[in-house]
Amino acid sequence: MERNPMRRQLASLRKSLFDQGYLDEQFMELEQLQDDANPNFVEEVVTLYYRDSARLILNLDHALERRPLDFSKLDGLMHQFKGSSSSIGAKKVKAESTLFREYCKYGNAEGCMRTFQQLKKEYATLRKKLETYFQLARQIGPMESANRPK
Amino acid sequence: MNVSSVKGSMSISSSTSTWKAGDTISDQFPAGLRVLVVDDDPTCLMILEKMLIACLYKVTKCNRAETALSKLRENKNGYDIVLSDVHMPDMDGFKLLEHIGLEMDLPVIMMSADDGKQVVMKGVTHGACDYLIKPVRIEALKNIWQHVVRKRKNEWKEFEQSGSVEEGDRQPKQSDDADYSSSANEGNWKGSKRRKDEEEETDERDDTSTLKKPRVVWSVELHQQFVAAVNQLGIDKAVPKKILELMNVPGLTRENVASHLQKYRLYLRRLSGVSQHQSNLSTIISAQDPTFGSLSSLSGLDLQTLAATGQLPAQSLARLQAAGLGRATAKSAIPITLVDQRNIFSFENPKLRFGEGQQQHMTNKQQVNLLHGIPTTMEPKQLVSLRHAAQSVGNMNMQVPPHGPQSSQNNPLLMQMGQQQQQQQSRGQILVDSTINHAPRLSSMGQPILSNGMATNVSSRSGIPENIRAPGYSQTPSMLNFPMNHASELPGNCFPLGSTPGVSNLTSKGAFQEDVNSEIKGSGGFMPSYDVFNDLNQYKPQSWELQNVGIAFDSSQHSNSLQGNLDLTQSALGQQGFSSGQMNGHNRSAAVASKAMFSTGNVKELRSAQNVNQHLNNLLVDNTIRVKSERVCDASPANIFPDHFGQDDLMSALLKQQESVASSENEFDFDGYSMNNIPV
């Protein structure tokens, strides 16, 4: 009973993430992979993503400090980052990555740097939202399994 | 087996030999499909793994291409399909694709977040079965089993087309007597000798070949028999059914032979570029060796005999055989030489030990035979694959002997060949196997694969040095000359040796050559044939580039893109002769020198050149050196892969390999080519 409002909250939080464009269908793919054997699969993947992509962000930061900018290297790094982000369904982050790569293609340093700042913002925002989401889900989790009709 | 049974029992393990093997979960297929997924991104890897498990597949994941390759090599029949990312830090996904195609002939699906048409096209041209755009959805993975089935079916079709009769339909060998005498390749003595050898080896094979084995392992002996049979029939007339009859190996199916023949043809085609040169060499060689008859047929038997005499260790025997294949020039030794292609890596040692006289025989004969016996179908495609290059390099070595003391020459060549191959696989034999297996893939893979092959060849070459170490030293001087001579003599076919007729049979390799050709314009003569075998190893990323370089090496004269590199290589090789040996006291220095030389060229080419150089150097230099360098190459593929191969990297790589040399010394059983069969 007290889970109901929490579940509703969780559902609504999830919906907003999709509606506001933070997440796309790929995230749903991950959710479908989650099962009793891996009840926290999605959270594990997202955690892994943030851990691994932090390295890429750092490399990108360093690369953006060099003068002149090595666009091909930046593009390569961003390609990796984009692949990672798209695999968890991070929609806005992915969009910024694509934009960044476009700027790289045209050698637009200003565009690259600006986009990268924006990307980092989206990246951080998503992380916070997902952390909240998972925390809530974990609270409901055990109850969910127990109460969920099989 | 009929196709229907095949369908019924979708053997997960891609077996060229028989569908009946069928053993695994045929009912639940595609459940249990053994997938190897390679992706450097841990997030993607985790997701893919979970998805594949959800598809009920059996998943193995790797985050590095090298790891994936070594897993595949360790367990060739352990996987049904490979999923690989395109962009990986240690190795380009397409190079991995090539390697797998050449060595294991497994279906490979590429994945990338990049959906640009060019990249997808590259996947297609390199032989990927499919190309998935990331993020990958589970629906896309649910159907990947179709590629396994399709591939098996296509292989099956090859068998069907090659003949109508299966193993049960073999005709008595007597009918082949006429072939023996009329065979342009072999002399009568050879034919009869070969038959004996085949028979003997058949007996051996009985124990080794396993009917139930999903995939036929073309061991040294088996391949020798095959080569002998092909030579007897004449490459043009060699059809799987007849070959099967000649070989008379119980448990071997026509399909096995057909697929092996296809690969062999590609291999020979690759070598054909070199054949011209080789033929020159072979004539010279053959003239020198009156007693060649006995030795020339580097039949397994001969080698075994030699081995038995203590001159050749089992490994050497294999090597010699392999080398013999590389030689291809020696007619008499053709069968052996062909087989030896695989063993080329092992060839090095045996060659050395053989003693000059013997070797001469072998080389001469082989060279002569190879050239004559095998039509050089190889288009002078430049270096379709590194393998070719690698082989050609090996071949080159082989050919060089004519210039120098026969025996010594042969040895170095053989050794080089062997080494190359060895290096690649660090087993040598595997090379052959891989070559054959990859024949079809080679064509599809194109360059990328080639490079890999080359890399492996190169590496394999160095690997051999270990074995040859002792003998190699004596050879070195002659060997060094080889490259020099070779370069001068080979108008443009880098690896005349490669042209050994036997080699040219590995048409599959030839396919690579095509790619390579584009790369290495002049190189011609890549010994495609068994370089493939070699390319199992290491130099994958740039291997094919290097091969080109290597090939270019010989054909430095050609106007390859790598020409610059080639020139460097050549000069490097020349210089290296022994000076390079100073590197770590081994070929490494040569490799380094070559490396330095390459650095002058394009980075890309350099890499390949480096690899090639290393390989070449290895070959040219004392076998021991080669062994070392091989090791280095093998050990430090990672070093090779980095974008810029600095000399330091190369050096360190070489050094590392040196250290690892010891460990890899005894690794001859690669991919099922068990040297154990070689009686010593």
Side-chain angles (χ1 to χ4, degrees):
Chain A
M1 286 62 69
E2 68 220 16
R3 295 300 168 194
N4 279 344
M6 282 176 79
R7 270 192 235 118
R8 268 204 301 273
Q9 189 185 357
L10 184 72
S12 119
L13 177 54
R14 181 181 172 278
K15 189 167 182 299
S16 78
L17 284 170
F18 284 105
D19 291 346
Q20 291 170 23
Y22 288 100
L23 296 175
D24 60 26
E25 309 75 43
Q26 186 64 19
F27 191 83
M28 293 181 198
E29 289 270 328
L30 300 189
E31 287 177 317
Q32 283 171 21
L33 289 173
Q34 188 159 291
D35 53 21
D36 292 344
N38 299 80
N40 302 312
F41 177 72
V42 186
E43 183 181 359
E44 285 165 17
V45 172
V46 171
T47 306
L48 179 59
Y49 161 74
Y50 272 100
R51 188 158 11 112
D52 183 62
S53 57
R55 174 183 52 88
L56 285 169
I57 296 276
L58 197 62
N59 290 344
L60 279 159
D61 265 325
H62 289 157
L64 282 167
E65 284 163 13
R66 291 167 175 263
R67 294 291 175 275
L69 288 182
D70 181 351
F71 289 107
S72 120
K73 178 171 179 173
L74 286 170
D75 184 73
L77 287 169
M78 189 50 78
H79 173 84
Q80 291 179 50
F81 182 80
K82 180 183 170 186
S84 242
S85 308
S86 68
S87 72
I88 67 156
K91 195 169 176 182
K92 291 199 180 185
V93 175
K94 179 180 172 182
E96 295 296 332
S97 309
T98 306
L99 189 57
F100 183 93
R101 292 188 74 198
E102 280 295 303
Y103 282 123
C104 281
K105 195 162 92 174
Y106 293 107
N108 187 332
E110 166 70 23
C112 281
M113 296 203 260
R114 202 179 42 223
T115 307
F116 189 61
Q117 297 310 313
Q118 185 63 23
L119 181 149
K120 283 196 281 190
K121 274 206 206 100
E122 295 292 349
Y123 177 79
T125 305
L126 178 65
R127 173 194 238 141
K128 279 201 218 80
K129 288 185 183 284
L130 284 175
E131 274 171 5
T132 307
Y133 175 78
F134 289 127
Q135 260 172 24
L136 189 58
R138 256 183 272 125
Q139 288 173 32
I140 304 173
M143 288 309 239
E144 276 294 313
S145 313
N147 298 337
R148 204 169 28 180
K150 294 288 176 188
Chain B
M1 317 220 197
N2 47 43
V3 179
S4 59
S5 67
V6 172
K7 281 184 186 154
S9 63
M10 269 307 166
S11 174
I12 296 299
S13 55
S14 48
S15 157
T16 58
S17 63
T18 167
W19 281 98
K20 345 177 197 180
D23 4 63
T24 35
I25 30 199
S26 42
D27 322 341
Q28 319 156 14
F29 186 86
L33 193 73
R34 297 164 304 167
V35 183
L36 178 67
V37 54
V38 190
D39 195 333
D40 63 304
D41 185 326
T43 312
C44 293
L45 199 60
M46 185 175 176
I47 296 171
L48 284 168
E49 187 193 27
K50 190 73 179 66
M51 283 180 172
L52 291 165
I53 290 174
C55 293
L56 303 180
Y57 298 150
K58 194 158 152 280
V59 188
T60 307
K61 57 176 180 176
C62 297
N63 63 351
R64 295 194 59 193
E66 297 158 27
T67 316
L69 264 180
S70 63
K71 276 189 207 273
L72 285 166
R73 288 181 182 146
E74 283 164 23
N75 189 4
K76 276 212 157 160
N77 293 331
Y79 303 97
D80 300 307
I81 190 165
V82 179
L83 257 65
S84 173
D85 187 33
V86 167
H87 298 272
M88 290 188 285
D90 63 335
M91 185 194 299
D92 182 34
F94 294 114
K95 290 216 161 69
L96 177 64
L97 175 61
E98 277 179 7
H99 274 301
I100 297 176
L102 283 173
E103 300 175 21
M104 295 111 203
D105 196 25
L106 288 175
V108 181
I109 294 178
M110 304 303 293
M111 303 178 290
S112 180
D114 199 346
D115 60 353
K117 195 171 83 169
Q118 279 165 347
V119 187
V120 178
M121 179 64 78
K122 205 173 170 192
V124 172
T125 56
H126 283 54
C129 292
D130 204 351
Y131 191 102
L132 303 176
I133 308 294
K134 285 183 176 178
V136 179
R137 297 167 68 92
I138 193 169
E139 290 78 24
L141 297 176
K142 284 201 171 126
N143 286 330
I144 62 173
W145 58 267
Q146 64 175 291
H147 301 292
V148 177
V149 175
R150 189 176 295 119
K151 205 166 180 77
R152 296 289 151 251
K153 278 203 75 172
N154 289 340
E155 284 178 359
W156 189 249
K157 268 196 203 130
E158 288 169 12
F159 301 147
E160 293 293 326
Q161 286 163 6
S162 61
S164 54
V165 182
E166 298 203 352
E167 53 259 71
D169 204 352
R170 292 194 215 141
Q171 291 176 7
K173 275 190 178 183
Q174 298 83 359
S175 57
D176 295 320
D177 286 340
D179 294 340
Y180 285 68
S181 52
S182 61
S183 165
N185 304 343
E186 343 252 279
N188 290 341
W189 68 266
K190 194 155 179 259
S192 51
K193 200 177 197 345
R194 181 115 354 266
R195 189 175 282 266
K196 283 190 216 135
D197 296 340
E198 286 174 359
E199 286 167 356
E200 286 168 355
E201 288 175 11
T202 299
D203 295 337
E204 290 176 315
R205 278 240 58 77
D206 287 352
D207 302 329
T208 52
S209 65
T210 39
L211 280 167
K212 298 283 158 71
K213 211 169 182 186
R215 190 189 282 266
V216 166
V217 170
W218 282 87
S219 72
V220 174
E221 295 82 16
L222 191 61
H223 185 72
Q224 285 174 6
Q225 283 182 267
F226 171 82
V227 172
V230 169
N231 291 334
Q232 280 169 359
L233 294 169
I235 195 64
D236 292 332
K237 291 174 272 178
V239 288
K241 180 176 168 193
K242 285 201 175 152
I243 296 172
L244 191 63
E245 294 166 8
L246 276 180
M247 288 177 69
N248 197 22
V249 171
L252 195 66
T253 67
R254 193 176 34 75
E255 302 74 41
N256 302 141
V257 174
S259 114
H260 194 75
L261 177 66
Q262 184 189 33
K263 294 175 183 162
Y264 187 65
R265 285 213 178 100
L266 287 173
Y267 168 75
L268 291 179
R269 200 180 295 146
R270 269 203 323 184
L271 297 174
S272 64
V274 197
S275 56
Q276 298 164 10
H277 190 82
Q278 285 184 348
S279 48
N280 297 335
L281 293 174
S282 57
T283 16
I284 299 173
I285 296 174
S286 50
Q288 299 173 2
D289 190 10
T291 57
F292 178 73
S294 55
L295 288 173
S296 55
S297 58
L298 279 181
S299 57
L301 190 58
D302 290 339
L303 289 177
Q304 289 168 5
T305 306
L306 287 170
T309 58
Q311 292 186 345
L312 291 175
Q315 297 170 354
S316 305
L317 186 62
R319 296 225 196 119
L320 285 173
Q321 292 179 348
L325 287 176
R327 295 299 181 91
T329 53
K331 273 187 138 171
S332 57
I334 293 181
I336 300 178
T337 55
L338 292 177
V339 176
D340 291 341
Q341 294 279 344
R342 288 184 304 190
N343 304 326
I344 294 199
F345 61 94
S346 58
F347 181 76
E348 294 179 291
N349 286 341
K351 277 289 186 177
L352 293 176
R353 296 180 199 224
F354 242 114
E356 302 197 345
Q358 288 176 346
Q359 297 220 340
Q360 287 185 351
H361 292 312
M362 293 201 301
T363 48
N364 294 339
K365 282 286 170 99
Q366 291 178 352
Q367 293 185 353
V368 176
N369 291 338
L370 289 173
L371 289 179
H372 303 310
I374 301 176
T376 46
T377 54
M378 288 180 29
E379 324 52 275
K381 292 186 176 178
Q382 280 139 10
L383 286 174
V384 178
S385 59
L386 287 179
R387 287 204 197 158
H388 294 303
Q391 289 187 348
S392 42
V393 177
N395 293 335
M396 286 194 16
N397 297 328
M398 306 230 328
Q399 294 196 345
V400 179
H403 303 300
Q406 289 291 325
S407 57
S408 56
Q409 288 179 348
N410 292 338
N411 294 336
L413 288 179
L414 290 176
M415 295 194 44
Q416 289 178 354
M417 289 286 300
Q419 283 181 350
Q420 280 183 341
Q421 296 185 346
Q422 252 195 350
Q423 288 183 348
Q424 294 189 345
Q425 302 182 353
S426 60
R427 309 270 188 162
Q429 284 182 344
I430 300 175
L431 293 175
V432 174
D433 192 20
S434 58
T435 330
I436 292 181
N437 290 335
H438 294 288
R441 271 200 96 100
L442 289 173
S443 46
S444 57
M445 296 285 234
Q447 294 175 353
I449 299 180
L450 292 175
S451 53
N452 292 335
M454 279 296 287
T456 49
N457 288 336
V458 177
S459 52
S460 59
R461 295 215 196 159
S462 48
I464 299 187
E466 293 182 345
N467 301 321
I468 312 183
R469 207 164 307 178
Y473 282 112
S474 58
Q475 303 288 345
T476 346
S478 55
M479 296 202 352
L480 293 178
N481 297 332
F482 294 164
M484 306 296 280
N485 298 334
H486 195 68
S488 56
E489 300 207 350
L490 297 176
N493 295 333
C494 315
F495 303 93
L497 296 178
S499 56
T500 58
V503 179
S504 58
N505 286 335
L506 292 180
T507 46
S508 57
K509 303 261 177 129
F512 284 93
Q513 286 186 338
E514 294 179 341
D515 297 336
V516 176
N517 289 338
S518 57
E519 297 255 331
I520 306 181
K521 301 171 196 172
S523 56
F526 281 91
M527 293 279 287
S529 51
Y530 285 80
D531 286 337
V532 173
F533 299 123
N534 295 326
D535 52 28
L536 287 182
N537 303 332
Q538 288 83 19
Y539 289 97
K540 303 169 207 176
Q542 294 143 356
S543 47
W544 65 275
E545 295 179 11
L546 288 177
Q547 284 185 348
N548 294 338
V549 177
I551 300 182
F553 173 81
D554 293 331
S555 58
S556 59
Q557 299 153 19
H558 297 295
S559 56
N560 299 333
S561 56
L562 296 176
Q563 218 170 4
N565 297 335
L566 292 177
D567 293 332
L568 291 177
T569 359
Q570 283 192 347
S571 50
L573 289 174
Q575 296 170 5
Q576 293 174 352
F578 283 96
S579 56
S580 56
Q582 291 161 14
M583 255 180 24
N584 309 325
H586 297 286
N587 295 333
R588 304 222 191 126
S589 57
V592 173
S594 53
K595 215 175 39 164
M597 308 219 22
F598 285 105
S599 55
T600 58
N602 302 339
V603 176
K604 203 178 173 214
E605 294 180 350
L606 276 181
R607 294 206 214 131
S608 52
Q610 285 179 347
N611 292 338
V612 173
N613 267 337
Q614 289 180 353
H615 294 302
L616 291 175
N617 294 329
N618 296 333
L619 293 178
L620 298 174
V621 186
D622 177 8
N623 292 331
T624 59
I625 298 181
R626 280 197 296 238
V627 172
K628 296 272 172 89
S629 43
E630 183 179 48
R631 295 295 164 204
V632 175
C633 300
D634 297 343
S636 56
N639 295 337
I640 312 262
F641 299 153
D643 293 351
H644 38 270
F645 296 86
Q647 292 189 5
D648 295 334
D649 293 341
L650 191 55
M651 283 299 296
S652 53
L654 290 168
L655 288 167
K656 282 183 194 164
Q657 286 192 357
Q658 245 184 345
E659 294 162 12
S660 59
V661 169
S663 54
S664 50
E665 257 181 320
N666 298 324
E667 305 170 51
F668 290 97
D669 293 343
F670 197 87
D671 298 338
Y673 282 33
S674 51
M675 299 295 297
N676 301 332
N677 297 333
I678 302 176
V680 178

